[in-house]
Amino acid sequence: MSAILSMRREIPVIVQCTDLQASTRWIDAMRRYGTNVVACVAPADDDEYNGLPLFRHCADALAATKAETCVSIAQPRAAADALLDAAEAGVRIIVSLSVGVPIHDMMRAHRRIGDLGAT
């Protein structure tokens, strides 16, 4: 928790979502509040979304942007896999805004994320 509280505004953040249209309001709100959103990760065929580069996997977004943090806005059944994608790509701080995630999925993801050294 202390790692999240000590974040600075200039830290690059990637936003990971399974549905870009449903996540638009969250992405826009983060940018309005000054979050340094540098890329989006989503299953889409475009190269860009609202002026941000768009990638299909966190590893690609990390390589291109050097982001340190990921905010995941995945649908409940895809949330655990999305978090694991971020952790396995090397993100150290991952924030999930997903609600209704099956508890067994989240327990599995939480254990693996900890094993990978992410928070």
Side-chain angles (χ1 to χ4, degrees):
M1 185 69 150
S2 63
I4 294 171
L5 294 175
S6 66
M7 285 178 48
R8 297 177 318 277
R9 284 184 175 237
E10 60 271 4
I11 291 177
V13 175
I14 58 174
V15 177
Q16 180 187 44
C17 46
T18 52
D19 182 353
L20 279 171
Q21 298 308 317
S23 303
T24 297
R25 76 173 207 184
W26 295 106
I27 295 168
D28 291 345
M30 284 187 281
R31 293 173 87 181
R32 276 194 316 273
Y33 284 116
T35 304
N36 185 18
V37 178
V38 295
C40 289
V41 176
D45 294 328
D46 297 328
D47 294 337
E48 183 179 288
Y49 178 74
N50 282 353
L52 296 169
L54 183 61
F55 299 93
R56 292 189 59 79
H57 300 284
C58 280
D60 299 333
L62 252 52
T65 64
K66 307 294 186 235
E68 300 173 23
T69 303
C70 174
V71 174
S72 180
I73 313 169
Q75 295 172 344
R77 296 206 183 265
D81 290 334
L83 298 174
L84 289 173
D85 180 43
E88 290 170 355
V91 176
R92 293 293 134 228
I93 299 174
I94 306 165
V95 178
S96 176
L97 300 181
S98 302
V99 295
V101 180
I103 189 68
H104 288 93
D105 290 354
M106 194 52 75
M107 289 172 61
R108 174 182 52 88
H110 184 267
R111 182 178 303 124
R112 180 72 179 131
I113 288 168
D115 291 345
L116 292 168
T119 301

